[in-house]
Amino acid sequence: MAIRTAIAVANPNIAFIKYWGNRDHALRIPCNGSISLTLGGLETQTTVTFDENLTSDHVFIDDRSASASTSARVSQHLDRIRLIAGFKYCAKVESRSNFPVGAGIASSASAFAALTVAGTSAAGLSLQPIELSRIARLGSGSACRSIFGGFVEWHANETDEDSYAEVLAPSNHWDLQDLIVIVNQEHKGVGSTEGHALADTSPLQNARVADAPRRLKECRRAILDRDFPSLASITELDSNLMHAVMLTSTPSLMYWYPETLQIMNEVTRWRAEGYEVCYTIDAGPNVHCICTRKYADRIEKRLRRLPGVIQLLRASPGNQARVL
Ligand code: DP6
């Protein structure tokens, strides 16, 4: 092996039932299972080139050298792949996303899914999707779900072997749309990795985790039956529970902006009028408005009229991470 290269592409995902808090931080074994939709239209493309002439890994994100901490996290992930492949060659990694970096969309999910697929392929490994999902999980928890397309469930379980994602329903099962409202482009204060470590300091986390099997069951059923009202209420409840834990952690994490709250209120009002839409918010101020195709254009128009909306991105059910 002198030089071996591969290119892969992966989509981010939005969780209806969220991952927040780990049972094992180093292995990213989560406290609870999660369910997400892979977001087509938004993607990260990553090229990994193992080159025996390199003496260290070189990481470029959107054509710029990555920060020291990001480079270290990527190198650590490449180490996992090198260990399985049984070689020590360094690599050049070039990653590019077609959605704004500061948009507050968890780019680590698509980034580590694409890195896992490109890296293992360049290393000459041919792995099953479940195996790829386990490896991606070690890089970033939510990335294990982005290995798959459509509606995806991450089984929490308790060991490195058993904690991986699987398809719950394919992307053509239900044409939901995600209207992502950007109200702030700045990088978030406390990232997800640090946030997960604080979850246990909240007196509410135990209750949130204890109730997770019920929410997962309800969410699974709502997706399989294409029951929007049920999906909407369980999704909003789950997002609010996660933010309640964030708010009551020590130190307290407050991700919402005034605009975030306003959109949450409008979305709830529109649903009372009969529109099929609900909100969910990750570790940032931007709001994901999940809706059925039938209402998407009308909701998009209403969202664009709200003050403080910097940008609106639209995603549809996406496909699995793949080698190009
Ligand atoms: C709020 O997967 O970004 O988006 O494993 O530390 O990379 P790391 O965390 P990450 O956490 C995602 C948190 C979330 C909820 C979710 O996507 O389930």
Side-chain angles (χ1 to χ4, degrees):
M1 160 162 172
I3 293 179
R4 288 201 57 162
T5 189
I7 308 176
V9 65
N11 303 131
N13 64 75
I14 180 67
F16 303 117
I17 304 296
K18 297 190 187 288
Y19 155 45
W20 197 248
N22 287 311
R23 176 191 287 271
D24 182 322
H25 289 294
L27 292 175
R28 287 187 160 84
I29 312 285
C31 295
N32 61 273
S34 50
I35 295 177
S36 60
L37 174 65
T38 300
L39 299 175
L42 310 180
E43 60 181 45
T44 300
Q45 185 172 313
T46 300
T47 307
V48 175
T49 307
F50 287 109
D51 181 345
E52 62 184 2
N53 300 311
L54 292 176
T55 53
S56 65
D57 294 324
H58 296 280
V59 182
F60 299 91
I61 297 176
D62 295 321
D63 295 319
R64 290 201 196 146
S65 266
S67 68
S69 61
T70 299
S71 295
R73 191 166 166 187
V74 169
S75 281
Q76 205 185 354
H77 201 61
L78 290 172
D79 286 343
R80 298 179 180 113
I81 295 169
R82 286 186 276 246
L83 188 70
I84 305 172
F87 64 69
K88 293 200 163 143
Y89 303 119
C90 293
K92 181 177 174 193
V93 175
E94 295 160 283
S95 182
R96 218 168 266 122
S97 296
N98 74 351
F99 50 96
V101 197
I105 301 161
S107 56
S108 69
S110 50
F112 279 91
L115 179 65
T116 303
V117 172
T120 52
S121 169
L125 299 165
S126 162
L127 303 174
Q128 292 302 311
I130 283 177
E131 201 59 25
L132 293 169
S133 177
R134 285 183 53 240
I135 300 171
R137 187 201 82 231
L138 295 164
S140 172
S142 55
C144 80
R145 299 187 307 239
S146 274
I147 293 294
F148 298 97
F151 298 82
V152 179
E153 178 162 5
W154 174 6
H155 308 289
N157 287 327
E158 294 181 14
T159 65
D160 179 37
E161 275 293 303
D162 295 342
S163 194
Y164 54 80
E166 273 183 311
V167 173
L168 183 64
S171 58
N172 63 4
H173 170 72
W174 195 5
D175 193 8
L176 293 181
Q177 305 282 294
D178 183 6
L179 302 172
I180 307 159
V181 191
I182 314 298
V183 298
N184 187 282
Q185 312 236 38
E186 280 164 34
H187 279 285
K188 51 194 172 189
V190 174
S192 318
T193 305
E194 288 166 78
H196 290 296
L198 297 178
D200 281 334
T201 66
S202 164
L204 303 184
Q205 172 72 343
N206 280 344
R208 178 189 160 274
V209 171
D211 182 59
R214 182 191 70 85
R215 296 194 306 281
L216 287 162
K217 188 173 168 197
E218 177 65 4
C219 182
R220 233 177 263 134
R221 190 201 58 74
I223 289 171
L224 295 176
D225 293 349
R226 299 185 193 88
D227 172 352
F228 193 85
S230 298
L231 181 71
S233 38
I234 206 67
T235 297
E236 290 186 356
L237 172 67
D238 191 85
S239 174
N240 291 341
L241 279 169
M242 180 182 73
H243 285 273
V245 166
M246 292 163 158
L247 273 167
T248 51
S249 294
T250 308
S252 168
L253 303 178
M254 165 47 123
Y255 288 104
W256 298 347
Y257 279 45
E259 294 81 4
T260 313
L261 261 172
Q262 194 195 346
I263 295 165
M264 292 163 75
N265 284 329
E266 293 291 349
V267 163
T268 314
R269 214 163 52 81
W270 298 341
R271 193 157 75 259
E273 272 178 44
Y275 279 49
E276 288 179 325
V277 59
C278 67
Y279 65 78
T280 184
I281 301 151
D282 282 345
N286 302 317
V287 186
H288 291 253
C289 300
I290 311 289
C291 56
T292 53
R293 169 74 78 176
K294 184 175 167 198
Y295 291 95
D297 289 342
R298 279 176 278 174
I299 293 163
E300 182 173 340
K301 252 191 220 138
R302 287 185 172 200
L303 287 169
R304 284 192 189 280
R305 280 203 292 263
L306 296 178
V309 173
I310 296 175
Q311 200 182 350
L312 200 145
L313 305 171
R314 186 158 165 174
S316 313
N319 297 318
Q320 73 270 27
R322 60 218 170 265
V323 175
L324 291 186

